């Protein structure tokens, strides 16, 4: 087993899930410490100084959101929320409260590790790996020239409206991170996520995804989770 430098605080009261997650992480060399209650997690967060928190929202002594808010009062330590599939509203609330990402239960170990890697990487470099000198971003065949505000796919320029470009640029700056409807709408139009604005975003997204050649069921650039938001996929 190789030790890597990351320490992960795992907050989960269901012992089977906690053991599974811990085993998967430790096999990859992550160091983990566990809490099953919000109160213990707060103490461990202060004493253990983790690089990442994996947080179940349903804890016996408090809502996991309380720990998320506690973490966010004075730190940007990344938090991945564990959430049940049916709770879109919980995911949105957690992301908007500063969670970096979420994993839906039940999940596979490959997905868990991919999310952990992406979150740690994004947090450390803000996707600097994708950004090349000269204000460029590359992801597979997708390339963005931030200075010229141009987007290329397989070397060919694709024609986006100003709004479409702004959305693609925003997603690329948060590459790998799930962006909620509210977060995108606020960044692009400076307004709230009312029904009209969500519709406007969906229309723009449909156009962007068509121009990027994204089709359902393929490995696409932009992933949509209905009721939650969009992610530029790594
Ligand atoms: Ca729970």
């Amino acid at each position: 087993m190789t030790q890597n430098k990351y320490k992960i605080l795992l907050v989960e009261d269901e012992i089977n899930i906690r053991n599974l997650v811990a085993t998967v992480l430790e096999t990859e060399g992550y160091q983990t410490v566990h809490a099953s209650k919000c109160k213990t997690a707060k103490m461990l967060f202060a004493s253990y100084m983790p690089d990442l928190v994996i947080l179940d929202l349903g804890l016996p002594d408090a809502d996991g959101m309380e720990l998320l808010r506690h973490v966010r009062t004075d730190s940007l330590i990344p938090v991945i929320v564990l959430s049940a599939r049916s709770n879109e509203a919980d995911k949105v609330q957690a992301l908007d409260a500063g969670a970096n990402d979420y994993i839906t239960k039940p999940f596979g170990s490959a997905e868990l590790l991919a999310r952990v890697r992406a979150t740690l990487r994004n947090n450390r470099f803000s996707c600097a790996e994708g950004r090349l000198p000269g204000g460029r971003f590359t992801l597979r065949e997708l390339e963005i020239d931030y200075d010229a505000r141009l987007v290329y796919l397989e070397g060919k320029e694709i024609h986006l409206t100003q709004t479409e470009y702004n959305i693609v640029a925003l997603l690329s700056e948060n590459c790998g991170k799930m962006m909620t409807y509210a977060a995108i709408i606020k960044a692009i139009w400076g307004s709230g996520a009312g029904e009209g604005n969500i519709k406007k975003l969906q229309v723009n997204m449909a156009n962007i995804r068509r121009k990027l050649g994204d089709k359902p069921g393929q490995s696409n650039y932009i992933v949509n989770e209905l009721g939650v938001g969009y992610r530029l996929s790594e």
Side-chain angles (χ1 to χ4, degrees):
M1 188 194 297
T2 54
Q3 290 282 314
N4 68 43
K5 58 185 180 296
Y6 295 115
K7 296 185 289 184
I8 299 178
L9 171 59
L10 173 57
V11 189
E12 167 65 79
D13 61 313
E14 285 167 71
I15 192 154
N16 292 338
I17 297 178
R18 195 170 71 226
N19 287 344
L20 171 75
V21 172
T23 303
V24 167
L25 293 173
E26 284 163 13
T27 304
E28 289 297 304
Y30 295 102
Q31 301 166 46
T32 67
V33 66
H34 316 162
S36 57
K37 289 183 179 172
C38 187
K39 194 175 167 210
T40 329
K42 280 182 186 173
M43 290 190 300
L44 286 174
F45 181 75
S47 61
Y48 186 69
M49 293 187 288
D51 299 294
L52 171 73
V53 179
I54 296 179
L55 174 65
D56 173 37
L57 290 179
L59 299 172
D61 61 330
D63 192 313
M65 288 294 292
E66 186 184 320
L67 184 71
L68 175 59
R69 290 192 197 98
H70 174 79
V71 168
R72 279 291 165 272
T73 50
D74 63 355
S75 102
L76 292 172
I77 299 295
V79 177
I80 297 177
V81 161
L82 297 176
S83 157
R85 184 169 292 278
S86 54
N87 290 339
E88 266 73 32
D90 284 0
K91 292 174 192 168
V92 171
Q93 191 192 13
L95 290 166
D96 284 337
N100 297 65
D101 209 343
Y102 64 83
I103 302 171
T104 301
K105 294 178 186 177
F107 50 85
S109 52
E111 186 193 354
L112 171 72
L113 289 170
R115 290 267 166 275
V116 166
R117 274 194 303 270
T119 301
L120 287 168
R121 187 166 62 236
N122 289 349
N123 195 59
R124 214 139 286 244
F125 303 111
S126 295
C127 231
E129 279 190 344
R131 279 210 178 198
L132 300 171
R136 291 178 99 83
F137 170 91
T138 54
L139 176 69
R140 302 195 295 273
E141 296 299 323
L142 179 68
E143 191 170 357
I144 302 173
D145 181 339
Y146 292 116
D147 299 331
R149 295 174 60 86
L150 293 175
V151 177
Y152 300 88
L153 189 66
E154 294 170 349
K156 292 191 203 74
E157 187 190 336
I158 57 170
H159 298 279
L160 299 177
T161 66
Q162 287 301 310
T163 301
E164 289 164 6
Y165 171 82
N166 289 340
I167 293 170
V168 171
L170 176 71
L171 291 178
S172 73
E173 283 159 6
N174 295 277
C175 183
K177 182 182 193 301
M178 178 60 72
M179 301 286 290
T180 64
Y181 299 140
I184 300 172
I185 289 166
K186 184 151 185 281
I188 301 298
W189 291 288
S191 48
E195 208 177 302
N197 284 333
I198 289 178
K199 186 78 203 156
K200 191 161 65 170
L201 174 62
Q202 286 170 335
V203 169
N204 276 281
M205 277 299 185
N207 289 333
I208 291 166
R209 296 172 87 190
R210 182 172 45 75
K211 290 175 184 181
L212 293 181
D214 279 1
K215 293 189 184 71
Q218 291 186 355
S219 106
N220 291 324
Y221 285 104
I222 294 174
V223 173
N224 171 221
E225 182 160 339
L226 219 55
V228 181
Y230 297 92
R231 181 203 306 276
L232 187 65
S233 175
E234 298 199 55

